[in-house]
Amino acid sequence: LSLIIMTGFLLRWSLNKPLQLLNQIVASYNSKKKEFSPYHMPYSEFMPLIDTLKGMGDEIKLQMVELQNAEKKYRSIFENATEGIFQSTPQGKILDANPAFAKILGYQSPEELIDKVADVGRQHYVNPEQRRTLIEKIEKEKIVTAYEVRLRKKDDTIIWVSLNALPIYNSKGSFLHIEGLAQDITTRKKVENQVRRLSTAVEQVAQNVIITDDVGKIKYVNPAFENTTGYKLEAVYNKPNRFLGADETEKSLYDEILSSVKKGKVWTGRLTSNKKNGDDLIEDAIASPIKSPMGRFLGYVSVNRDVTLKAKYETRLRQSQKMEAIGTLAGGIAHDFNNILGVIIGCSELVRKR
């Protein structure tokens, strides 16, 4: 028994230093020290274990460096993203946000946003019901894209925002929070409204509207054109504008229009074309160039007024005026002849009486 106790004591004493050395190596990596020079190991049997620990430590260091670089990289993306990035609870508490999202809602920093906003639906949604609808869609569809809502900024300014969001669950499947992107689309909405109003006006205007590209190919005609000519947009789309000319002379006028608007001029004149059924269509046209904000020529828009009936009346009027002028001329000549003949007849009567 004494021999066993003494052997255990000696074994413990002999292994104490190597084990302390191994603990120091592990502790050095745990404390994230970059370098560690172990003491001389008295037992060569422990050297493979020390080498293994050193290899593991070097691998851990390398992975840590990679993780730190990745974290720095994605943190930079998060901080500098132009779109708003956020995390929020289903109840509306903001957990995290980048500077862009704070700016969208009118806050100076993400910290201020997180501190001040306890319920984003109640505080910033113009219609809080839309926030509840968003949560329901996320739970049902798992991902929501292009969800457009009106939000109220910190200073009560109303803006339009497009949201993309998805749910985040824990390992047990419980709904933890929402992660998403937010984009301020207020300017786009204003432009869309302006375009919608313009489109409605063009669609409902009584005159024929034709829009071409920079080489004169037709890209758009309005319903008035379709009703007047009988040609649908599909039938004339991408055809050259001179396609509408009634003859070669009229076709050359379309070439003249394109040449004029390319120079930045407004062309006005009368055009004659053929309807789908072969009838003549006479129009008074005003063609204006379309340019990009940088001044590049994109095409032209032509607003044409149907004057076919008016032109026919004008032709008849001119014919009537011609006949009236001829009648006036004939009457004047006859009157002059009558004056001369009156003198001759009078003199002849005097001669006969004498």
Side-chain angles (χ1 to χ4, degrees):
L1 181 60
S2 299
L3 180 61
I4 292 172
I5 293 173
M6 184 174 294
T7 301
F9 176 78
L10 291 174
L11 183 61
R12 181 176 180 181
W13 177 81
S14 62
L15 293 179
N16 186 51
K17 186 175 181 180
L19 289 175
Q20 286 181 352
L21 184 57
L22 292 175
N23 286 333
Q24 290 177 13
I25 295 173
V26 173
S28 69
Y29 290 126
N30 186 50
S31 62
K32 300 179 182 179
K33 290 182 179 180
K34 294 183 178 180
E35 298 292 340
F36 176 76
S37 299
Y39 297 107
H40 174 67
M41 176 58 69
Y43 303 102
S44 60
E45 291 82 358
F46 284 93
M47 291 307 298
L49 178 58
I50 292 177
D51 292 339
T52 301
L53 287 175
K54 289 182 63 178
M56 292 174 61
D58 293 340
E59 184 66 25
I60 291 171
K61 288 180 181 178
L62 181 61
Q63 290 178 1
M64 289 297 296
V65 170
E66 291 177 351
L67 286 173
Q68 290 171 356
N69 291 337
E71 193 276 337
K72 187 182 298 182
K73 173 184 174 182
Y74 291 112
R75 173 57 60 177
S76 175
I77 294 173
F78 179 79
E79 295 291 339
N80 299 318
T82 56
E83 288 188 334
I85 304 174
F86 66 91
Q87 288 182 339
S88 70
T89 65
Q91 294 75 30
K93 173 64 178 175
I94 303 296
L95 301 176
D96 196 7
N98 69 338
F101 187 72
K103 184 178 179 182
I104 287 174
L105 293 181
Y107 291 91
Q108 296 295 323
S109 66
E111 291 75 21
E112 181 188 9
L113 170 66
I114 294 170
D115 181 60
K116 295 292 180 65
V117 179
D119 184 348
V120 68
R122 181 175 55 81
Q123 292 177 242
H124 287 286
Y125 275 65
V126 174
N127 181 7
E129 186 63 34
Q130 287 186 307
R131 166 73 182 180
R132 288 188 284 273
T133 302
L134 174 63
I135 299 300
E136 291 173 1
K137 286 174 68 69
I138 289 174
E139 291 180 325
K140 181 180 179 181
E141 301 174 12
K142 303 306 178 186
I143 184 168
V144 175
T145 60
Y147 186 76
E148 297 182 357
V149 294
R150 289 194 305 157
L151 299 183
R152 182 180 291 104
K153 297 177 68 172
K154 181 183 176 182
D155 61 1
D156 287 334
T157 303
I158 304 298
I159 60 172
W160 276 97
V161 173
S162 176
L163 299 174
N164 299 322
L166 52 84
I168 302 299
Y169 299 94
N170 63 14
S171 58
K172 297 180 180 179
S174 299
F175 187 5
L176 292 179
H177 61 265
I178 300 166
E179 288 186 356
L181 300 176
Q183 183 179 13
D184 187 343
I185 58 171
T186 307
T187 302
R188 193 190 80 189
K189 276 291 186 180
K190 289 180 180 178
V191 173
E192 285 178 354
N193 290 335
Q194 292 174 354
V195 170
R196 190 177 297 110
R197 285 195 292 268
L198 178 60
S199 176
T200 301
V202 171
E203 292 285 328
Q204 297 181 3
V205 72
Q207 283 76 25
N208 300 340
V209 178
I210 303 169
I211 299 176
T212 74
D213 61 11
D214 58 338
V215 294
K217 290 185 178 181
I218 298 171
K219 295 299 181 182
Y220 172 82
V221 294
N222 69 336
F225 175 93
E226 296 179 338
N227 295 333
T228 302
T229 66
Y231 287 110
K232 296 296 182 182
L233 174 60
E234 296 79 11
V236 299
Y237 181 79
N238 226 28
K239 289 190 175 182
N241 57 351
R242 67 193 330 268
F243 154 81
L244 299 171
D247 52 37
E248 286 303 319
T249 302
E250 290 295 327
K251 290 180 187 297
S252 66
L253 285 178
Y254 283 94
D255 295 334
E256 180 183 317
I257 292 173
L258 185 60
S259 176
S260 180
V261 293
K262 276 186 175 180
K263 297 175 183 177
K265 299 178 181 179
V266 176
W267 187 94
T268 58
R270 180 162 289 185
L271 301 170
T272 301
S273 57
N274 289 328
K275 296 182 180 180
K276 188 177 182 180
N277 60 10
D279 294 342
D280 286 341
L281 174 64
I282 304 172
E283 299 172 299
D284 283 340
I286 302 176
S288 305
I290 302 173
K291 295 183 178 181
S292 70
M294 302 301 292
R296 187 170 68 87
F297 177 70
L298 302 176
Y300 72 85
V301 55
S302 179
V303 180
N304 303 348
R305 184 164 60 93
D306 184 359
V307 294
T308 305
L309 187 60
K310 177 184 176 183
K312 290 180 179 179
Y313 286 144
E314 287 176 350
T315 301
R316 292 178 184 176
L317 179 60
R318 282 194 295 271
Q319 186 67 23
S320 174
Q321 290 173 339
K322 287 179 183 179
M323 296 304 295
E324 182 181 352
I326 292 174
T328 301
L329 176 62
I333 294 172
H335 182 71
D336 290 341
F337 271 104
N338 283 335
N339 290 340
I340 297 171
L341 290 174
V343 174
I344 294 173
I345 291 171
C347 292
S348 298
E349 291 294 328
L350 290 175
V351 170
R352 286 178 62 190
K353 288 181 181 181
R354 292 179 182 178

